[in-house]
Amino acid sequence: MGESFLSIDLGGTYTKYGLIDQEGNVSKTHRIITPKDLSGLLEEVNLMISEYPNSKGIAISAPGAVSHSGVIHGTSAIPYIHGPNIKALIEQSTGKMVSIENDANCAALAESWKGNAQKVQNAIVIVVGTGIGGAFIHQGVVQRGKHLHAGEFGYMLIKHEEQWSSWSELAATSSLRKEVARQKSIPYESIFTGEQIFEMASNGDPECIRAIKQFFYYLAVGIYNIQHMYDPDIILFGGGISAREGFITEIYREYEALTENMHFETIRPKLDTCSFKQHANLVGAVKHFLQSEGN
């Protein structure tokens, strides 16, 4: 293994980190609950770097509209990262060089570098987590957009029960948990993890079965819109839930049910998971670090 980097993937529920080398090889990954405030995050990053003191630098994948300066604009499930210069704060705290990129852009960078988008010109990457992020790859290059919002598919509006909701509100893992809580009439804060919901569904729990079906239905609705707007070669999925066996099959099932009775021609998209699966953001963050350093 050559030079290695501490790579960190900030998520609304969990934060993953690990050691990634300059060729994109992953080793020693870990997962912690995402800290509740900025001071907690800085403390955790210092603990991480103490585990890997020989890391060349820190590569971070984060939700939101990440500027070159290190300020993260927009909104996400981690409110405290928006506003302060996270890059500068972590550099000051650790003494290490830091790069930060949007999480979905990181997934796209990983896939165009070493993964399932290496041999295509135009691709979409969708990261399903506590919220939904995304990225465009156009002619082999990740697009950021005028306001750093290219690929923010989670903001897409979809009608649900006579009200407009964002795609993130309907088809992210947090929405799956909220729907189970609603059906069971229990507080969201006490609801199960996504993994537990799928396990309960496999054991016949009717509320979990209905919530999962709705979850995949709204994923299919969003994919239908994206496919017909951009018509990419492939749509790739990242995020922890994408590693579930049968994930793509379930999306296709709902997609085909959605389009079955349409009276006009539709396109059946090519869907796959990111080759790096739940590690795509970690690998792409390192690719962004290398690009930032001119490597």
Side-chain angles (χ1 to χ4, degrees), residues 251-292:
I251 297 175
Y252 270 132
R253 182 177 289 117
E254 291 298 328
Y255 191 95
E256 288 162 3
L258 176 69
T259 58
E260 183 179 9
N261 296 317
M262 289 183 176
H263 61 277
F264 46 83
E265 184 179 356
T266 63
I267 301 167
R268 189 178 194 269
K270 182 178 181 182
L271 307 177
D272 203 348
T273 55
C274 292
S275 60
F276 290 103
K277 301 190 185 303
Q278 66 268 36
H279 299 322
N281 295 6
L282 295 174
V283 174
V286 169
K287 178 61 175 176
H288 179 257
F289 189 107
L290 294 170
Q291 289 179 334
S292 301

Side-chain angles (χ1 to χ4, degrees), residues 139-182:
Q139 296 183 353
V141 178
V142 175
Q143 304 298 304
R144 288 172 173 79
K146 171 71 174 177
H147 302 99
L148 304 175
H149 274 60
E152 289 288 357
F153 306 122
Y155 288 103
M156 180 167 46
L157 293 177
I158 295 175
K159 206 162 192 178
H160 171 66
E161 296 182 349
E162 302 306 315
Q163 293 185 345
W164 291 102
S165 298
S166 73
W167 199 27
S168 282
E169 291 173 312
L170 296 174
T173 54
S174 58
S175 63
L176 175 60
R177 295 175 65 211
K178 287 176 182 176
E179 181 60 19
V180 172
R182 186 191 70 80

